[in-house]
Amino acid sequence: MNKGYFGQWGGAFIPEVLHQTFADLEKAYKAIREDPAFWQEYVDLMGNYSCRPTPLTFAENLSNHLGGARIYIKREDLNHTGAHKANNVMGQGLLVRRMGKKRVIAETGAGQHGVATATMAARFGFDCTIYMGEVDVARQRPNVFWMEKLGATVVPVKDGSRTLKDAINEAFRDWVTNMDNTHYVFGTACGPTPFPEMVSWFQSIVGIEANKQIQEQHGNVPDRVYACVGGGSNAMGIFKGFLEYEAVELVGVEAGGKGLETGEHAARMVGDTASPGVAQGYKTMFLQDDDGQMLETHSIAAGLDYVGVSPILADLGDKGRVRFEAATDEEVLDALTLTMRTEGIIPALESSHAFVQAIKEAPSMSRNQAIIINMSGRGDKDIFTIAHAFDDPSWKEFIIERAEEYKQKSFLT
Ligand SMILES: *Cc1c(COP(=O)(O)O)cnc(C)c1O
């Protein structure tokens, strides 16, 4: 097998000038992999700063309501900053400190990875620049607000479609210029090697904990594990805890958006819209047209709205080790409602995709079977989208009143 490839996927398609930087990163990553003290330092940091180990919650009401398998929820929502992203960024923070670099950059679409990176940079005392498409800056003001307040510089990228892929190009340009003191914090299990493997390794803390917890609570490994798939980092994280158990079925759930037939979705491993391609430094299944131009994607969950997918997951899909499904926006809102009402738990819109598939399948399983849903994050951040989707009249009134208030104030000043 070629270095950095998973089956036919992965690799490192990078500009010549970055070869040394990648070689250094590869070396630093190898060193921490072989150093048990590093992993312990990481576990301690996450325990003291981010609420790890996160609980595995038995969803008794939801299980009873559906009348099938016992449903357990891995609570990544209880991480600092509200999602599994903290695992990856804090891990890379420790690595950056070891490499002696003082500055981090990242690109972000929905802004969640930007907030997580800015948080990490504040904690470690790194200089931080976040690249974000101008369109996304306008759409994601609350996240931009927090990045700036945390001390990061947010650069709106005005090239191309002014979204995520343009931000990625700009981040690479920065890295080429500043590679001596700068590390590029990749946000998911994609990109050139060693990022897919390294990000999955940091996220494997989720699967390691979940394996131990389910054996304690259920007395066995689960029958199925569900995770939503954007770039694939939370899925890889929990799957890694169960990959070696052939009896454990692994299910990745992609964004079905308005339905696969509408073209408005982000399903790469389900349906036949995606095709093999090389972009953003690696080879995977991309949503692209015949000329290799990336297609517009859609999902109610901003974090799943991505054109590529982890090369590791693409390979596990080829091998039949991971089954892929897609959940539509509408199904996501139903699953979210049911979970809130039965358990008092608010999953992020991204995570709700995993709930959709679990809720579909649990009733036909038996009472002594168990499943785990990886709840990658909490839904509070989605209040604007969810309230809008439910067409909540009091929420509308609230927004209009606040806007009026601002208008009057700015008129006076
Ligand atoms: C970013 C995000 C995702 C998608 O990213 P993956 O790399 O696929 O895990 C999923 N859930 C939440 C809550 C997110 O913030």
Side-chain angles (χ1 to χ4, degrees):
M1 191 173 78
N2 284 329
K3 188 174 133 294
Y5 277 83
F6 308 90
Q8 60 162 313
W9 314 107
F13 300 82
I14 50 173
E16 184 67 35
V17 286
L18 277 175
H19 279 187
Q20 192 53 48
T21 305
F22 269 89
D24 293 348
L25 179 62
E26 187 89 42
K27 200 170 142 218
Y29 169 57
K30 266 222 178 90
I32 57 168
R33 282 291 300 247
E34 284 160 13
D35 179 4
F38 181 89
W39 187 260
Q40 195 52 51
E41 193 183 356
Y42 171 59
V43 170
D44 292 345
L45 172 68
M46 296 312 285
N48 293 318
Y49 190 61
S50 186
C51 209
R52 298 216 74 91
T54 59
L56 182 74
T57 303
F58 174 45
E60 189 171 8
N61 301 331
L62 185 60
S63 304
N64 287 341
H65 176 85
L66 295 171
R70 294 167 70 84
I71 300 174
Y72 293 84
I73 305 174
K74 181 60 174 161
R75 303 291 305 281
E76 290 306 293
D77 58 309
L78 297 176
N79 268 299
H80 182 43
T81 70
H84 70 293
K85 287 191 168 70
N87 305 327
N88 172 43
V89 296
M90 296 309 289
Q92 290 197 46
L94 286 174
L95 174 66
V96 172
R97 196 167 68 183
R98 281 217 175 182
M99 290 191 297
K101 294 190 172 183
K102 297 278 189 285
R103 178 173 180 264
V104 292
I105 58 172
E107 94 294 336
T108 190
Q112 293 300 115
H113 175 57
V115 173
T117 304
T119 302
M120 176 273 277
R123 167 81 185 190
F124 281 100
F126 301 142
D127 204 44
C128 179
T129 299
I130 305 291
Y131 291 95
M132 204 168 172
E134 197 177 40
V135 171
D136 292 327
V137 171
R139 279 197 291 220
Q140 306 290 344
R141 178 50 55 185
N143 286 333
V144 174
F145 174 83
W146 286 125
M147 284 178 238
E148 290 178 343
K149 290 294 167 248
L150 286 160
T153 304
V154 179
V155 179
V157 177
K158 297 173 167 52
D159 294 345
S161 57
R162 295 173 293 144
T163 55
L164 182 65
K165 70 172 167 31
D166 312 293
I168 292 176
N169 291 338
E170 203 54 40
F172 268 112
R173 235 168 271 153
D174 179 317
W175 207 14
V176 166
T177 320
N178 301 297
M179 53 202 171
D180 289 344
N181 70 344
T182 298
H183 174 71
Y184 183 173
V185 183
F186 230 81
T188 187
C190 292
T193 187
F195 283 112
E197 203 191 311
M198 186 170 83
V199 173
S200 301
W201 183 58
F202 286 128
Q203 292 293 358
S204 72
I205 194 168
V206 179
I208 293 169
E209 287 175 8
N211 186 324
K212 184 160 169 274
Q213 290 166 320
I214 192 78
Q215 305 222 37
E216 280 163 8
Q217 293 186 39
H218 175 65
N220 203 345
V221 288
D223 294 271
R224 291 180 201 165
V225 177
Y226 297 84
C228 65
V229 180
S233 70
N234 87 88
M236 277 309 302
I238 193 147
F239 289 171
K240 266 173 108 62
F242 302 99
L243 266 178
E244 274 135 52
Y245 301 78
E246 269 171 41
V248 180
E249 193 180 9
L250 307 174
V251 186
V253 188
E254 299 188 301
K258 295 183 180 167
L260 297 192
E261 67 291 347
T262 65
E264 292 186 57
H265 60 79
R268 297 121 321 165
M269 300 298 291
V270 182
D272 55 6
T273 321
S275 53
V278 173
Q280 298 166 8
Y282 70 111
K283 182 181 178 194
T284 195
M285 293 291 282
F286 283 104
L287 290 165
Q288 56 187 342
D289 66 18
D290 293 341
D291 299 325
Q293 292 296 318
M294 294 302 147
L295 297 173
E296 292 281 321
T297 49
H298 164 82
S299 171
I300 191 169
L304 300 188
D305 195 354
Y306 179 54
V307 289
V309 64
S310 175
I312 309 178
L313 283 176
D315 183 45
L316 291 171
D318 285 352
K319 290 181 173 137
R321 184 64 189 93
V322 174
R323 165 161 63 92
F324 288 93
E325 304 286 350
T328 65
D329 293 351
E330 212 177 307
E331 292 173 321
V332 160
L333 290 171
D334 289 345
L336 173 64
T337 304
L338 181 62
T339 309
M340 287 194 286
R341 294 289 169 90
T342 53
E343 294 294 341
I345 284 174
I346 309 176
L349 284 168
E350 290 83 0
S351 322
S352 299
H353 285 69
F355 280 80
V356 167
Q357 198 60 32
I359 288 168
K360 270 186 205 168
E361 296 180 14
S364 58
M365 294 173 73
S366 83
R367 202 66 184 128
N368 50 27
Q369 289 185 297
I371 64 178
I372 298 180
I373 304 172
N374 197 27
M375 180 163 155
S376 52
R378 60 173 190 232
D380 318 34
K381 70 177 175 63
D382 297 320
I383 188 162
F384 284 89
T385 314
I386 296 173
H388 179 76
F390 285 132
D391 204 15
D392 188 88
S394 321
W395 174 262
K396 254 191 242 172
E397 223 169 85
F398 165 74
I399 293 287
I400 292 167
E401 272 171 22
R402 291 306 289 268
E404 286 299 330
E405 212 175 291
Y406 269 91
K407 263 192 214 156
Q408 283 175 11
K409 272 198 193 135
S410 60
F411 182 70
L412 292 172
T413 51

